[in-house]
Amino acid sequence: MTAYSAASTPPGFWRTVKLLLGVARRRAVGRSKRQQELLRQRAAKKSAFNTLGLLGLIVVIIMMAVLHGGFAFFLQAMIDSSPRSEVERTGKIVVSSYFIQEMFKFQKNEYDLSRKDFDFKQYLDELYSWEADNRTRHYGGSKDANEKVLRDTIHEHGINNLVDEGEISSHLETLVKATPVSNMLGSLVLVWWFIMMIFQGEGLELDLQRRRHPMWEWLFSHPVPTGAVFFAEMLSPIAANPICLTAPIFWGVLFGLVYGTALGLVAALIIGVPMATATACLGKALEIGVILRLSPRSRGAVLGLMSWVGYAALMVFIFCAFSASTVADVLGKILQPLATISSWPLMRWTIGAQLDGSFSFLSGAIFCWSLSAIAIISAVGFSAWGAERGLSGNVDRADLAPSESKTSRSSQFGRDPLYLKELLWFRRDRSAIVQTILIPLTIASVHLFNMRRLVEGAQGAWNYLSGAAIVVGTYFLWVLGPKSLASEGPALWIALTWPRGLENLLKAKAWLWSVVATGVVFLVLIYAMLRFPGDWWRILLVGVGWVAFGRSMAEKAVTLVSVPSSSGEPEPTPKGRQWAASLGMLTFGIGILTQRWHIAIMGIVYSWITAAAMWQNFRARLPFLYDPWSEKLPPPPTLMHAMIAISILVEGGAIATGLFILVVGADNIGLAQAVMYGLCAVIVSLFVSHFLTGRGVRPEQVWCWAEPANANFPITAWWSGDGSKSTRFVTSITIGFIGGLLLGLLANGYIALLLHIPTIGDLIRASREQMVTVPGLKMWYGVIAVAVAPFAEEYLFRGLLFRALDREWGGWSAVLGSAAFFAIYHPPLAWIPVGIVGITNSFLFKKTGSLTSAVALHMAYNAVVVLS
């Protein structure tokens, strides 16, 4: 009875606070882990925090303590740099005392320049180099740029425009005498810290889930003290977020820079703790107000925006931590007019600066206590007011659905309902901007900062800058595609019942996201044109290539949609599907960076064929997104089968050639390529045929067009002994041979024209001379090109690839797509005639119903081109 009574006794005030803060901490850890998974910033392995437990938490806390200390030193560095920035904006240059002294000696001819035992020119160069290093170390910029500024200033003005850096120092202890810009920048950095802390919430990461489970829910089911619940709610950021827990370090370091280490430690306790509590309360009060008073659609947007502001403020500080001088220069130049409008006393009041130039620790403490008390009282009062107003929020009917008149007006402009739906999503769900624009751009900015050395190098050439634009656009789509689909949540299944279907909806999403990404890429390309006006046409070609590549990339990204789990979050996408979606990406980027346009074109073609292959498989999965155990793969042969087989043929041939060269020597590379390609072509074709037979696709089903309406000359007619059909079959073979001869002659004429182009002609003649010098090489090429390659390539490129593309795209798109994919596997100079062969054979295959006519054309064409 006693045990029962003790167990059923409601927890007291502090017991309730302890329980709730523990829950807040565990919830923050779980949310952080899940957010990292959603951002795909962690591998499948567990993080160090989960592995090391308490030790990992200690490491994170130490890192956040260092961050707060760094913020205080960053504030000091901003104040130190602003007077120098103001001086240099007048045209003068701040340098060291030693540099001024030495330059004065040179200017007054105090050195005997006629001495032969001392190289004064070398000494002068070393002096400039040393001072340039000094400026680079303290104020940023490149060494070359700083040295040029020094030399130009000395050349034009002598030492008259040099200012001793010791004369403009402005540390915190002399802030009261500092320039207006120093006071302004110091105050702005303090506001920056407050914003970062207020919007931190219960996690360090971007809040992608935007969920909140208010602690006042306990009031509805537990007999706990009301004050304890709201008190724990206010303090939950401190318990859950290490950056809030270590916030007093900032105040300890800040006051320590002015009053010394001892008073700095005191300030961390008596000033830092109240200020950290105040920022936590303000942030939580805003969150409570959002949950209580805003509608569900606006609530997600505002919570996401708050999380983004806190995360962005933190990341911007990390970016700027070692560039205080540069930041002071830029902000001082932009905000200088504001410095004269107000005295900007926040910084001076905070650290206790007096009008007579002295400092009072007590005065600063009283100001900070007053500020924190006002913040805490306001936060608590605001939360109480929100709770009294009710939990329902301002859910207006117009917020849930657009008026009919608006919809009608939109339809009058002929907008496709699928695209209109996406635009309505932006208008109805305010969180769309946060999810689809702010979060991808923020993540991309973080990665660009990590690759800042590469980005800085990209400024030196148009192709590097254009390559950077491609990387940004590709990454934007990579994040944006899955995120846009995840935002639909469980409601995505509704589109399965639409007359237009889910496939058209997802295609519309792909188009919309490609437009958004194209806008981002074009901004960088426009900057590249302004920076490199002489290469405008090359950059324009990159833009044209991106339009084609970006659309295919967007369609591949959309196919990464996965079923939302029971909690509404997307399930992880299989690694194989992610890898397939990346095909063509690297090839296109390398082509731009190396200025090899044929490689970039290969990347575009490969990306489009990969997109078609993924959509062919994806279409089979669409009806079963919410019951994947029922899904079936599309009937073979699929595009993916064809692409894998062709890739094995090309890559396998390259590997086999390399091994063969090790045996016969590098002098026989031509012979090795011919023999090994022919051998791999036979092996791959037989293996694929066996593979498909095991899945119910007989060889004659690949060699013959399956649709009766197009199978006018089936190969089986010859086997059946029907005279009239066999005659038509022989006619189709004859047409194939005649077509091959004509296309071969056309190709020879094309080569003859290329011989008149100096550079290309030299390459062709060198290739012909090499073939003549190797005994038997031309014979082997002829055997492979006539007896082996036509059968294997027509089986793979027409029997598998074109058939699957025709089922996916149909019409000219399938014909041109298969011909382009066929052409890119040949030398760039042969793309035009080989592409024409691919187009012709696609028509022959579909119209005659047999691959034999295409094989005949291919054999005749190769015989004319290779053996002539």
Side-chain angles (χ1 to χ4, degrees):
M1 181 69 179
T2 302
Y4 174 80
S5 300
S8 59
T9 301
F13 185 93
W14 293 110
R15 174 66 174 168
T16 301
V17 172
K18 181 180 178 181
L19 289 172
L20 290 176
L21 292 182
V23 169
R25 176 64 197 160
R26 291 191 296 273
R27 183 176 64 210
V29 171
R31 182 187 292 134
S32 173
K33 179 181 177 181
R34 184 55 179 162
Q35 286 169 6
Q36 291 288 351
E37 292 174 355
L38 294 177
L39 287 171
R40 294 181 174 84
Q41 290 180 339
R42 288 183 181 175
K45 299 179 181 179
K46 294 183 178 180
S47 66
F49 177 81
N50 294 327
T51 303
L52 301 179
L54 181 60
L55 180 59
L57 176 60
I58 293 174
V59 171
V60 173
I61 291 175
I62 293 175
M63 292 174 59
M64 293 302 102
V66 171
L67 182 142
H68 282 293
F71 215 115
F73 283 107
F74 176 78
L75 188 151
Q76 177 185 353
M78 290 279 288
I79 293 174
D80 288 348
S81 299
S82 57
R84 179 196 62 82
S85 301
E86 291 190 66
V87 169
E88 295 198 347
R89 277 195 292 273
T90 64
K92 298 182 181 296
I93 301 296
V94 177
V95 295
S96 65
S97 302
Y98 177 75
F99 185 78
I100 293 179
Q101 294 171 4
E102 294 301 303
M103 285 297 157
F104 180 81
K105 292 178 181 179
F106 274 102
Q107 183 170 326
K108 297 299 182 181
N109 296 322
E110 294 185 7
Y111 284 117
D112 184 5
L113 301 180
S114 62
R115 289 173 52 185
K116 302 297 184 181
D117 59 336
F118 190 80
D119 190 342
F120 286 97
K121 183 179 183 305
Q122 180 181 353
Y123 175 66
L124 189 61
D125 290 340
E126 292 175 353
L127 193 62
Y128 277 118
S129 178
W130 177 83
E131 186 61 29
D133 274 333
N134 183 57
R135 284 180 57 84
T136 301
R137 185 169 58 255
H138 288 91
Y139 310 133
S142 67
K143 179 183 176 181
D144 293 338
N146 280 320
E147 185 171 342
K148 184 177 185 303
V149 170
L150 290 171
R151 289 181 180 273
D152 292 344
T153 302
I154 296 296
H155 177 73
E156 295 176 8
H157 306 284
I159 64 172
N160 297 326
N161 275 26
L162 301 182
V163 178
D164 190 343
E165 62 184 3
E167 297 177 2
I168 63 166
S169 178
S170 177
H171 294 287
L172 285 174
E173 62 269 16
T174 58
L175 181 63
V176 72
K177 300 178 181 179
T179 63
V181 175
S182 297
N183 287 310
M184 179 188 67
L185 293 180
S187 300
L188 289 178
V189 173
L190 274 179
V191 173
W192 181 355
W193 184 87
F194 277 109
I195 291 176
M196 180 185 73
M197 296 305 302
I198 290 171
F199 293 103
Q200 274 300 310
E202 297 181 14
L204 287 169
E205 298 85 3
L206 280 169
D207 190 352
L208 303 182
Q209 298 160 304
R210 306 183 318 283
R211 291 197 183 89
R212 294 295 185 273
H213 303 284
M215 292 182 181
W216 63 70
E217 292 176 349
W218 280 47
L219 295 176
F220 302 139
S221 57
H222 295 76
V224 293
T226 304
V229 173
F230 277 94
F231 182 66
E233 181 80 24
M234 292 293 179
L235 296 182
S236 59
I238 296 178
N241 196 337
I243 196 172
C244 297
L245 181 64
T246 56
I249 301 295
F250 170 77
W251 297 96
V253 175
L254 180 62
F255 276 78
L257 292 172
V258 179
Y259 299 99
T261 304
L263 285 180
L265 294 175
V266 174
L269 293 176
I270 67 174
I271 297 177
V273 172
M275 295 299 279
T277 304
T279 56
C281 290
L282 283 174
K284 186 56 69 171
L286 291 175
E287 184 180 303
I288 291 173
V290 168
I291 294 175
L292 290 176
R293 301 305 305 154
L294 295 184
S295 64
R297 294 188 183 278
S298 299
R299 182 186 306 164
V302 176
L303 289 175
L305 186 61
M306 289 170 58
S307 174
W308 177 82
V309 170
Y311 180 83
L314 173 62
M315 297 309 299
V316 169
F317 164 68
I318 294 175
F319 296 167
C320 301
F322 299 101
S323 307
S325 177
T326 303
V327 175
D329 287 347
V330 175
L331 291 182
K333 186 180 299 183
I334 296 175
L335 303 178
Q336 188 175 17
L338 297 178
T340 58
I341 296 177
S342 172
S343 60
W344 295 88
L346 178 61
M347 184 67 211
R348 291 186 287 117
W349 290 348
T350 300
I351 60 176
Q354 305 298 305
L355 294 178
D356 59 359
S358 62
F359 285 82
S360 171
F361 182 85
L362 181 60
S363 175
I366 291 175
F367 175 77
C368 292
W369 290 337
S370 302
L371 190 63
S372 59
I374 293 172
I376 293 172
I377 293 172
S378 301
V380 173
F382 180 80
S383 301
W385 171 81
E388 290 175 358
R389 297 280 294 180
L391 300 176
S392 61
N394 297 323
V395 182
D396 186 57
R397 181 175 181 179
D399 185 68
L400 297 177
S403 63
E404 184 175 351
S405 60
K406 290 183 179 179
T407 306
S408 300
R409 286 197 300 270
S410 299
S411 300
Q412 290 174 0
F413 292 95
R415 293 179 178 175
D416 191 304
L418 293 173
Y419 302 129
L420 179 61
K421 173 192 176 299
E422 295 301 307
L423 298 177
L424 288 177
W425 172 51
F426 276 93
R427 189 165 65 189
R428 293 170 59 191
D429 190 351
R430 281 83 175 181
S431 65
I433 297 296
V434 179
Q435 296 176 55
T436 62
I437 304 298
L438 289 181
I439 288 178
L441 280 180
T442 303
I443 298 172
S445 299
V446 172
H447 284 273
L448 283 177
F449 174 76
N450 294 333
M451 298 185 296
R452 59 189 179 279
R453 299 301 179 190
L454 180 62
V455 175
E456 290 175 0
Q459 301 289 323
W462 72 267
N463 54 311
Y464 291 157
L465 198 54
S466 301
I470 299 302
V471 171
V472 172
T474 301
Y475 189 81
F476 193 82
L477 285 173
W478 200 256
V479 175
L480 187 57
K483 277 299 303 172
S484 66
L485 296 171
S487 66
E488 297 281 346
L492 188 63
W493 69 271
I494 297 176
L496 289 171
T497 61
W498 286 11
R500 297 283 295 272
L502 183 56
E503 179 180 352
N504 288 328
L505 170 65
L506 297 179
K507 290 277 190 179
K509 283 183 177 290
W511 174 85
L512 178 62
W513 303 141
S514 67
V515 170
V516 174
T518 298
V520 176
V521 171
F522 275 21
L523 288 177
V524 183
L525 294 181
I526 290 173
Y527 170 73
M529 285 186 179
L530 295 176
R531 188 173 177 84
F532 304 100
D535 298 303
W536 67 269
W537 64 273
R538 295 185 178 90
I539 300 172
L540 184 62
L541 285 178
V542 174
V544 173
W546 166 259
V547 171
F549 175 79
R551 180 64 184 271
S552 66
M553 186 66 213
E555 292 199 359
K556 290 190 291 185
V558 168
T559 63
L560 300 179
V561 61
S562 56
V563 184
S565 64
S566 58
S567 60
E569 298 164 2
E571 293 293 337
T573 304
K575 294 295 183 181
R577 203 175 301 159
Q578 293 181 12
W579 174 83
S582 66
L583 293 176
M585 183 191 310
L586 186 61
T587 307
F588 180 64
I590 290 175
I592 299 299
L593 290 174
T594 60
Q595 303 184 50
R596 301 177 68 179
W597 299 106
H598 66 282
I599 295 180
I601 294 173
M602 290 173 62
I604 295 173
V605 173
Y606 210 91
S607 182
W608 267 108
I609 301 299
T610 306
M614 294 187 69
W615 267 95
Q616 194 174 70
N617 290 341
F618 183 55
R619 185 178 297 106
R621 293 192 298 112
L622 274 179
F624 310 102
L625 277 180
Y626 291 85
D627 54 346
W629 45 86
S630 304
E631 68 182 29
K632 294 181 180 179
L633 293 175
T638 65
L639 263 173
M640 197 62 72
H641 290 144
M643 291 188 64
I644 292 175
I646 294 170
S647 299
I648 293 175
L649 169 61
V650 176
E651 299 300 329
I655 295 173
T657 300
L659 296 176
F660 192 75
I661 289 175
L662 293 177
V663 178
V664 301
D667 295 336
N668 298 311
I669 184 172
L671 175 63
Q673 288 178 334
V675 174
M676 288 299 100
Y677 179 81
L679 182 62
C680 288
V682 173
I683 294 175
V684 170
S685 300
L686 293 176
F687 175 81
V688 173
S689 179
H690 176 73
F691 173 84
L692 293 176
T693 301
R695 280 154 179 77
V697 180
R698 300 185 305 277
E700 58 268 25
Q701 291 177 291
V702 176
W703 282 85
C704 300
W705 194 264
E707 300 176 7
N710 295 317
N712 300 320
F713 307 98
I715 192 172
T716 51
W718 189 30
W719 296 343
S720 64
D722 190 325
S724 60
K725 290 184 178 181
S726 61
T727 301
R728 282 181 288 175
F729 174 73
V730 172
T731 303
S732 70
I733 296 294
T734 304
I735 292 174
F737 274 115
I738 295 174
L741 293 174
L742 294 176
L743 291 180
L745 294 174
L746 179 64
N748 284 338
Y750 169 77
I751 295 174
L753 291 176
L754 293 180
L755 288 172
H756 291 82
I757 302 176
T759 304
I760 298 177
D762 293 341
L763 291 175
I764 296 175
R765 281 186 284 269
S767 176
R768 287 178 173 177
E769 291 174 0
Q770 181 184 9
M771 184 170 292
V772 173
T773 57
V774 179
L777 180 59
K778 190 172 185 178
M779 181 195 69
W780 277 107
Y781 266 119
V783 171
I784 299 300
V786 176
V788 178
F791 292 93
E793 291 181 356
E794 292 306 317
Y795 178 82
L796 296 175
F797 284 97
R798 250 65 66 183
L800 299 183
L801 181 71
F802 171 66
R803 184 198 305 274
L805 268 181
D806 187 74
R807 194 166 67 212
E808 179 66 24
W809 290 346
W812 275 101
S813 297
V815 172
L816 295 178
S818 63
F821 199 66
F822 176 57
I824 64 172
Y825 281 100
H826 292 76
L829 293 178
W831 279 1
I832 293 178
V834 170
I836 295 175
V837 170
I839 292 173
T840 306
N841 277 350
S842 296
F843 275 112
L844 278 178
F845 179 36
K846 192 168 184 179
K847 295 301 181 181
T848 65
S850 171
L851 269 180
T852 52
S853 57
V855 171
L857 186 148
H858 202 151
M859 293 174 68
Y861 172 86
N862 283 354
V864 173
V865 173
V866 176
L867 300 178
S868 61

